[in-house]
Amino acid sequence: MSAQHYRQLLVWQKAMDLAVMCYEITKPFPSEERYGLTSQIRRAAVSVPANIAEGNARFHTKEFLNHLSIARGSLAELETELMISQRVGFLLQENLSKVLVMTDEIGRMTSGLRQALEAKLVV
């Protein structure tokens, strides 16, 4: 890819913003959820940029593709946990909607990056 470093990848930058937002929206969650949904949401959110960074730092394109796949899985996990949080009354619909816009965009960007990397493998 044209980016020399993972910090130059727009998808990584947006995933970092998503992780920060998830920390902020889980602050008001009940304290008894500290080791439940709060922890799960935060870990899934952190996993997205972390896997993008780790994959980019690997020496082989196939390894990067694998880490992008893990990041996509973490996005799906995160969305599910956030929807559960909204359903049980911990998360406002407004905040859920904002985060889902972000996860959709990051998902599309991750898919685009995967396609570009796969095309690079064929060449």
Side-chain angles (χ1 to χ4, degrees):
M1 296 308 308
S2 61
Q4 297 287 321
H5 198 276
Y6 66 87
R7 291 184 303 234
Q8 294 174 296
L9 294 171
L10 186 57
V11 67
W12 177 84
Q13 294 168 12
K14 289 186 179 282
M16 290 290 288
D17 293 340
L18 172 66
V20 169
M21 180 177 231
C22 286
Y23 267 80
E24 293 189 11
I25 65 173
T26 57
K27 280 181 186 175
F29 279 25
S31 59
E32 65 265 16
E33 283 300 320
R34 182 176 305 126
Y35 302 109
L37 278 170
T38 303
S39 176
Q40 287 290 110
I41 288 167
R42 290 176 175 186
R43 286 186 294 132
V46 167
S47 176
V48 178
N51 274 291
I52 294 168
E54 184 176 354
N56 180 261
R58 298 289 179 141
F59 292 112
H60 302 287
T61 302
K62 286 184 180 182
E63 290 178 294
F64 195 2
L65 287 166
N66 183 54
H67 280 82
L68 288 175
S69 177
I70 295 167
R72 286 292 307 257
S74 293
L75 270 177
E77 176 187 351
L78 176 61
E79 288 174 347
T80 301
E81 292 158 356
L82 291 166
M83 286 185 262
I84 291 169
S85 297
Q86 188 274 327
R87 286 184 177 201
V88 298
F90 299 159
L91 185 62
L92 297 173
Q93 179 61 46
E94 173 186 334
N95 287 336
L96 176 61
S97 296
K98 286 179 190 176
V99 176
L100 291 180
V101 166
M102 295 175 79
T103 59
D104 286 346
E105 180 181 23
I106 293 165
R108 286 191 306 274
M109 294 175 80
T110 304
S111 291
L113 181 53
R114 280 188 59 83
Q115 288 174 349
L117 289 170
E118 287 169 349
K120 182 179 166 183
L121 284 176
V122 175
V123 173

